[in-house]
Amino acid sequence: MNDLNLIYDIVIIGGGATGCGAAVDAASRGYKTLLVEQYYFAKGTSSRSTKLVHGGVRYLAQGNIKLVREALAERGRLLKNAPHVTGSQPFVVPVFSLWDKFYYSVGLKVYDILSGKLSLGKTQLLSRKKTLEILPALNPNKLVGGILYFDGQFNDAELCIDLVHTAVRHGAEVLNYTKAVGFIKEKGVIVGVELEDTLGAGGVGVADGGGAAGGGSQAKSRRVVRCKTVINATGVFTDAVLQMDDPHADTLVYPSQGIHLVIDAKHFKGTNALMIPKTDDGRVLFAVPWQGKVVVGTTDTHVDHIDAEPLPLAEEIIFLLDHFNRYCNAQLTKQDVLSVFVGLRPLVKAAGTTVSSMLSRDHTLVVSPSKMVTITGGKWTTYRKMAEDAVNNAVFVGKLEGAGCVTKELPIGDLGAAKKLAEQLIAVDPAMAAILMPAAVSQVDVATELPTANAAHAHEASAIRVVDVVVAARCNYVKTVEDFLARRNRLLFLDARAAIELAPAVANILQKELGWSDAQTETQVQSFVQLAQQYIVH
Ligand SMILES: Cc1cc2nc3c(=O)[nH]c(=O)nc-3n(C[C@H](O)[C@H](O)[C@H](O)COP(=O)(O)OP(=O)(O)OC[C@H]3O[C@@H](n4cnc5c(N)ncnc54)[C@H](O)[C@@H]3O)c2cc1C
């Protein structure tokens, strides 16, 4: 990095699904690659998804067969290439009229047919009795029956760090808490990127406005790296980077907010998920078992303000509680919500519509006169294809020596490195195995579990041990309490109050690992607690 003669083939800005995917693609083709992320990997939208690896049943209803087919192919590839963080999840669509039963069964059979050999299980028509048997939480009122179909599920932040490991395995350099703050140009073409260290000189607690790491005042160092081409993969921050390149550049993104409520599994028993394709006000509603809890979502609300920690609107919370209560015959209140998490979709503007649910979920690629390649839109499920398209274009504009994409069958992950380190540490010091918090996984209700090998167990929560925090700092680029409790372990998303309780213990372990002073450790705990308050529904 300090070698002034070093020129990266490709610098990728943004460490979410798209940028980490692009880093894997570029590095595995043999290009000298640098990935920079201003916070922790997947801090943005990529840790705030509904956790579905899906073709998008909804887009089928909109007639977008090409998008669905492409996403289903990517779904199949991802489940094969990253089996340790993905799984198959059975969904039930309850139907309240014979017409709906016909309509949705045809649609979901087509959905399955479009997945071809990569099908995760056959779509089945269910009687009213069977529907209630496998989805006991469902409100039986006016229920006619149901349709069972299969989609993929994953741990988004875990997949993101696994992409980082994959990129590094193939020679990429990666820097988190590093922000692209300017471009160096020659004859209008980008030849370098100016980078700023967002944690500051002390190494803790100073990223601007990003959450638990935010709010300090230490000096932030800057440096310039030289490159042949740049990929802008910054999600809802796309326009800021476009305008950093050219203040007059057209904006692309029409951000849409989606929130999720996490509730205890006792309110929604079993391992099957609920999918309402169209609520009475035309929205989609999911209730999906995940990591021992249940994720209820989502909403689709246009927002003008872009923030690394977006806040839920009161009406979004009410919408989800009301609709969950109605479809599940429950009486949940705000007090039953263990955590609320909010993400911003980087939807791409379209002429003639301002309704975000009508905007395409396909991705968009733009090459600027400065030869920067911008890629945005799309979804997690299609990150690999987005990365392939972005790198193909970067190769072209950067006049790089051609090398084909190899990611279709590339195994994703650290190939057991973190697990091995954990075992070695425990072998030397058995106290490392001490449990800080038991697993969030609740009892699986065997009576309602489908007789299927498809149930997604790969991404269940596991107990948090001392060694997990140590390994996260040594192997997984963790630099703050938030990094661990929000993304290496998903406790902030699963139960914000429990995460607050655990913060001091995690901070003490990180203090030793990262060499924090007592004051820095205290700052870490305080800023995490402040952030976690935003995940509690008050
Ligand atoms: C509510 C919701 C539910 C969703 N559910 C699903 C789902 O179930 N399945 C699915 O497939 N998709 C889903 N999606 C879509 C999916 O999550 C997104 O398409 C995807 O995560 C976008 O990834 P990204 O890398 O483009 O953006 P991001 O994840 O936002 O990453 C961009 C990164 O760039 C960084 N950055 C910005 N500016 C700079 C800079 N100057 N320097 C350095 N770094 C910078 C940011 O900090 C950020 O981490 C959902 C989206 C939302 C909002």
Side-chain angles (χ1 to χ4, degrees):
M1 181 88 34
N2 294 322
D3 177 0
L4 291 175
N5 295 316
L6 178 67
I7 302 182
Y8 290 98
D9 290 319
I10 307 182
V11 170
I12 297 155
I13 308 173
T18 313
C20 294
V24 170
D25 189 300
S28 60
R29 292 190 203 201
Y31 297 119
K32 184 90 194 131
T33 304
L34 174 67
L35 170 72
V36 294
E37 161 56 46
Q38 62 182 342
Y39 303 118
Y40 187 71
F41 302 112
K43 157 82 176 183
T45 307
S46 295
S47 59
R48 300 154 189 270
S49 76
T50 312
K51 327 297 177 202
L52 305 180
V53 190
H54 63 157
V57 173
R58 179 154 81 101
Y59 318 131
L60 194 62
Q62 292 169 355
N64 201 338
I65 303 268
K66 182 180 160 283
L67 178 66
V68 176
R69 194 198 297 272
E70 181 177 287
L72 286 171
E74 291 302 327
R75 179 188 77 173
R77 288 185 185 118
L78 186 54
L79 266 69
K80 279 192 174 162
N81 296 335
H84 56 299
V85 283
T86 60
S88 165
Q89 171 64 49
F91 284 80
V92 177
V93 177
V95 285
F96 301 93
S97 71
L98 285 174
W99 165 252
D100 276 359
K101 192 166 187 176
F102 170 74
Y103 178 78
Y104 289 119
S105 64
V106 172
L108 288 164
K109 277 193 194 294
V110 171
Y111 187 69
D112 186 28
I113 290 165
L114 285 176
S115 62
K117 285 189 192 140
L118 298 169
S119 165
L120 301 178
K122 284 221 172 314
T123 298
Q124 294 165 38
L125 263 133
L126 303 173
S127 65
R128 183 177 189 277
K129 185 165 169 269
K130 186 73 183 168
T131 306
L132 289 168
E133 200 180 299
I134 66 169
L135 211 61
L138 202 60
N139 187 345
N141 193 18
K142 296 189 183 157
L143 183 76
V144 170
I147 295 123
L148 172 75
Y149 77 100
F150 295 85
D151 238 327
Q153 194 190 38
F154 73 135
N155 182 342
D156 46 13
E158 197 65 25
L159 178 59
C160 202
I161 198 72
D162 274 339
L163 290 175
V164 170
H165 287 304
T166 314
V168 170
R169 241 187 322 117
H170 288 89
E173 288 175 48
V174 297
L175 295 170
N176 61 4
Y177 291 102
T178 301
K179 182 175 182 176
V181 290
F183 294 117
I184 314 298
K185 293 184 186 174
E186 281 172 12
K187 295 184 186 149
V189 173
I190 295 176
V191 294
V193 185
E194 189 174 6
L195 303 176
E196 184 178 82
D197 163 14
T198 59
L199 280 180
V204 288
V206 211
D208 13 71
S217 59
Q218 287 145 316
K220 297 170 182 177
S221 63
R222 287 194 174 191
R223 77 196 112 158
V224 170
V225 291
R226 299 204 299 148
C227 60
K228 294 180 187 163
T229 181
V230 168
I231 294 177
N232 169 16
T234 52
V236 285
F237 299 92
T238 293
D239 292 338
V241 175
L242 275 172
Q243 292 186 339
M244 191 163 84
D245 170 37
D246 172 6
H248 305 294
D250 286 338
T251 55
L252 278 181
V253 174
Y254 190 79
S256 158
Q257 170 160 304
I259 79 156
H260 299 88
L261 305 180
V262 177
I263 57 171
D264 197 281
K266 71 181 179 205
H267 303 301
F268 188 83
K269 290 194 173 143
T271 53
N272 303 313
L274 166 72
M275 197 270 205
I276 307 286
K278 206 171 186 178
T279 58
D280 46 18
D281 51 358
R283 305 202 226 179
V284 186
L285 185 78
F286 286 105
V288 193
W290 189 66
Q291 301 234 340
K293 308 285 183 210
V294 176
V295 175
V296 180
T298 177
T299 54
D300 205 338
T301 315
H302 170 65
V303 287
D304 290 316
H305 177 66
I306 292 170
D307 198 291
E309 283 294 343
L311 293 172
L313 302 177
E315 56 263 35
E316 291 181 303
I317 295 170
I318 290 167
F319 165 79
L320 288 181
L321 282 175
D322 279 358
H323 282 76
F324 180 86
N325 284 341
R326 190 177 327 154
Y327 285 102
C328 293
N329 211 7
Q331 277 99 40
L332 295 193
T333 66
K334 288 177 184 175
Q335 279 70 45
D336 295 302
V337 178
L338 298 173
S339 188
V340 53
F341 62 91
V342 187
L344 298 178
R345 295 178 191 85
L347 300 184
V348 178
K349 284 179 187 165
T353 183
T354 51
V355 181
S356 47
S357 61
M358 296 303 290
L359 289 179
S360 170
R361 265 54 175 172
D362 216 341
H363 62 269
T364 292
L365 195 143
V366 174
V367 179
S368 306
S370 66
K371 304 225 168 141
M372 176 169 77
V373 175
T374 293
I375 177 115
T376 195
K379 49 190 180 147
W380 237 122
T381 308
T382 53
Y383 84 90
R384 194 209 61 79
K385 182 73 178 66
M386 293 172 71
E388 181 179 346
D389 290 353
V391 174
N392 281 346
N393 278 271
V395 168
F396 181 73
V397 297
K399 297 192 179 75
L400 306 178
E401 206 172 303
C405 170
V406 297
T407 56
K408 276 189 185 162
E409 290 173 7
L410 193 74
I412 296 167
D414 71 356
L415 306 184
K419 194 164 174 251
K420 198 168 159 202
L421 176 63
E423 283 164 4
Q424 284 166 352
L425 289 169
I426 292 170
V428 174
D429 177 7
M432 284 270 185
I435 289 176
L436 291 174
M437 178 160 283
V441 179
S442 62
Q443 297 283 312
V444 170
D445 188 340
V446 177
T448 57
E449 192 175 7
L450 273 182
T452 168
N454 285 314
H457 295 299
H459 37 80
E460 284 176 351
S462 50
I464 304 174
R465 303 166 302 169
V466 173
V467 74
D468 298 325
V469 187
V470 173
V471 168
R474 291 192 197 175
C475 284
N476 289 325
Y477 309 89
V478 157
K479 296 192 172 107
T480 71
V481 169
E482 180 199 347
D483 294 347
F484 182 79
L485 284 173
R487 287 171 188 90
R488 293 289 42 84
N489 185 280
R490 308 309 305 273
L491 198 59
L492 178 63
F493 285 62
L494 293 168
D495 188 338
R497 291 178 187 86
I500 289 174
E501 272 178 44
L502 205 61
V506 170
N508 285 339
I509 301 168
L510 288 179
Q511 175 173 22
K512 290 190 201 98
E513 280 300 310
L514 301 175
W516 295 340
S517 66
D518 288 348
Q520 285 172 324
T521 308
E522 185 52 33
T523 305
Q524 278 286 319
V525 175
Q526 276 173 11
S527 56
F528 179 76
V529 171
Q530 199 182 336
L531 173 76
Q533 291 298 334
Q534 295 182 19
Y535 287 69
I536 295 173
V537 177
H538 296 280

